Amino acid sequence: MEVDVRFVSKLHPAVDYAAGTFLLVIGIMTVVGNLAVLATAIKRSAHLKSPELLTINLAVTDLGMAVSMYPLAIASAWSHSWIGGDASCMYYALMGFFFGVASMMTLSVMAIVRYQVTTSPRSNNCKIKKNIICISITFIWLYSLAWAIMPLLGWGHYGPEPFGTSCTVAWDESQNSVSDSSFICCLFVLCTILPAGTIVLCYSAIAWKLHKVYQGIQNCERITNSAKMERKLTLMAIFVSVGFLSAWTPYAVVSLWSIFQSSEYIPPVVALLPCLFAKSSTAYNPFIYYMFSKAFRQEIKQLQCCCGWRIHFSHSENLTGNPPASVIWAGRDTVQISSAEKSNIRNATVTSSQ
């Protein structure tokens, strides 16, 4: 039986083993972390705020990528060759593309929602309706699916990575036909540059707005709890987006390079490292939530480990009788602001705008 040289690893066996082990660790972290996020969401399902659905959606995309891709990638790396040939290669590339685009689009919608909530006038009491979020999530999945199946319909191609033990969009195929080159160009513009630009612009505008308001509050009186909360939530959202973009940027650069130069000029290790770094993005978010959200930390402490993860869904005691605070995301409606604080914010906003 003849071996397809495209699927034979071009790396040293020790490098392949290290790559497979790295993916195993990332996969475990991704599954455990994002299951914890989903468990807290299930526990608080009756009190979920609309924007929190986007955070849940992001956890689903990360978990989906880890479950559908990492076992095959780990087995292939440890076997020193791709397992399953063209069929599994196409499946792996499709799943990676599908969940990758879904994650990017989810982050861009989160940035837009965060921008609307943070920069809208306080008097408007801006609340994002749940049906709007649900429509946005539906659009995200349909948009991602449409792009993922395009190579199956003949616009673009899936193929092995230069190092042989992974598969993705065949970037270097753009040199062979107008169809492939048009697919790659549209992909970069509509699935990378546009959502990344949206994220950067939204958070830049939010940061400027909060800087002006925060400056006004400092000049006026003490910093209010609501202002601190807005700043913390914005920082958390920025860290989530920066983590994703930072992880995928090296891979995008290498892919862009292979469009104009043959992948033969890219050393296998140079092609491998950005790929591993991009896959590590699925594990970051739960740690960011844990770092920034006190409520999320409290929920995690209630997850008991006894012969594996055993999740208790009993609601924690609430002495005040109010619904529990948002665990991961809080819109303006989740921040309880006293009358004095509202007056301070209003005065600060007026002062900063003068």
Side-chain angles (χ1 to χ4, degrees):
M1 181 178 176
E2 222 174 281
V3 178
D4 193 333
V5 295
R6 296 177 304 155
F7 298 129
V8 176
S9 176
K10 300 174 180 62
L11 299 166
H12 190 277
V15 177
D16 272 332
Y17 184 79
T21 303
F22 175 81
L23 283 178
L24 177 62
V25 173
I26 290 297
I28 293 172
M29 292 169 59
T30 299
V31 171
V32 172
N34 286 287
L35 281 179
V37 172
L38 296 178
T40 59
I42 293 171
K43 182 178 177 181
R44 301 181 56 262
S45 57
H47 305 290
L48 284 177
K49 304 300 178 181
S50 298
E52 285 187 283
L53 297 177
L54 291 169
T55 306
I56 295 170
N57 195 62
L58 190 60
V60 170
T61 62
D62 289 341
L63 193 60
M65 183 176 289
V67 171
S68 65
M69 297 173 61
Y70 293 179
L72 186 56
I74 293 166
S76 297
W78 286 350
S79 300
H80 198 52
S81 63
W82 182 254
I83 296 175
D86 285 315
S88 64
C89 181
M90 189 172 297
Y91 159 79
Y92 183 91
L94 186 146
M95 290 294 104
F97 192 16
F98 176 55
F99 287 115
V101 173
S103 296
M104 175 67 91
M105 297 307 297
T106 300
L107 288 171
S108 62
V109 173
M110 286 174 67
I112 293 171
V113 170
R114 189 79 225 150
Y115 173 81
Q116 291 179 331
V117 171
T118 304
T119 62
S120 63
R122 296 276 172 178
S123 57
N124 288 354
N125 193 24
C126 179
K127 294 183 182 181
I128 307 299
K129 294 182 179 179
K130 187 167 287 189
N131 61 340
I132 299 297
I133 298 296
C134 291
I135 291 172
S136 299
I137 291 174
T138 302
F139 169 78
I140 287 168
W141 288 108
L142 292 177
Y143 185 82
S144 305
L145 179 62
W147 277 103
I149 64 175
M150 286 301 175
L152 304 183
L153 302 177
W155 191 33
H157 288 89
Y158 290 130
E161 298 268 19
F163 51 89
T165 55
S166 183
C167 294
T168 185
V169 174
W171 304 106
D172 52 3
E173 291 290 331
S174 62
Q175 302 173 16
N176 300 332
S177 70
V178 175
S179 174
D180 288 325
S181 60
S182 63
F183 174 76
I184 296 297
C185 290
C186 291
L187 169 62
F188 261 103
V189 172
L190 298 178
C191 296
T192 304
I193 297 175
L194 185 61
T198 300
I199 292 168
V200 171
L201 287 175
C202 285
Y203 287 127
S204 296
I206 292 170
W208 177 251
K209 172 72 174 180
L210 289 180
H211 168 72
K212 299 298 290 182
V213 173
Y214 197 75
Q215 195 174 44
I217 292 173
Q218 284 182 317
N219 294 336
C220 204
E221 282 186 40
R222 66 182 180 87
I223 302 168
T224 62
N225 290 333
S226 58
K228 292 178 181 178
M229 177 65 77
E230 289 281 12
R231 184 177 63 172
K232 180 180 288 189
L233 291 170
T234 300
L235 279 174
M236 183 179 71
I238 289 173
F239 268 86
V240 169
S241 298
V242 168
F244 183 87
L245 294 177
S246 299
W248 281 92
T249 296
Y251 184 78
V253 170
V254 171
S255 300
L256 190 62
W257 170 264
S258 65
I259 293 173
F260 301 103
Q261 298 290 335
S262 173
S263 58
E264 296 177 358
Y265 294 99
I266 302 175
V269 174
V270 174
L272 170 67
L273 293 178
C275 186
L276 293 178
F277 194 37
K279 288 181 173 65
S280 70
S281 66
T282 58
Y284 298 160
N285 295 339
F287 294 96
I288 296 173
Y289 304 148
Y290 190 87
M291 181 173 61
F292 280 93
S293 175
K294 181 179 179 181
F296 185 61
R297 289 196 296 271
Q298 291 172 343
E299 293 287 349
I300 291 298
K301 289 176 182 178
Q302 296 179 18
L303 300 179
Q304 297 181 1
C305 187
C306 179
C307 298
W309 284 97
R310 183 161 60 101
I311 301 172
H312 296 271
F313 293 105
S314 59
H315 289 277
S316 56
E317 190 174 349
N318 192 349
L319 298 179
T320 61
N322 294 324
S326 174
V327 173
I328 300 166
W329 179 296
R332 184 168 299 147
D333 54 313
T334 65
V335 182
Q336 301 300 321
I337 308 172
S338 66
S339 300
E341 287 180 331
K342 289 181 179 179
S343 177
N344 288 342
I345 293 172
R346 192 181 303 110
N347 293 335
T349 305
V350 172
T351 303
S352 63
S353 63
Q354 290 177 348

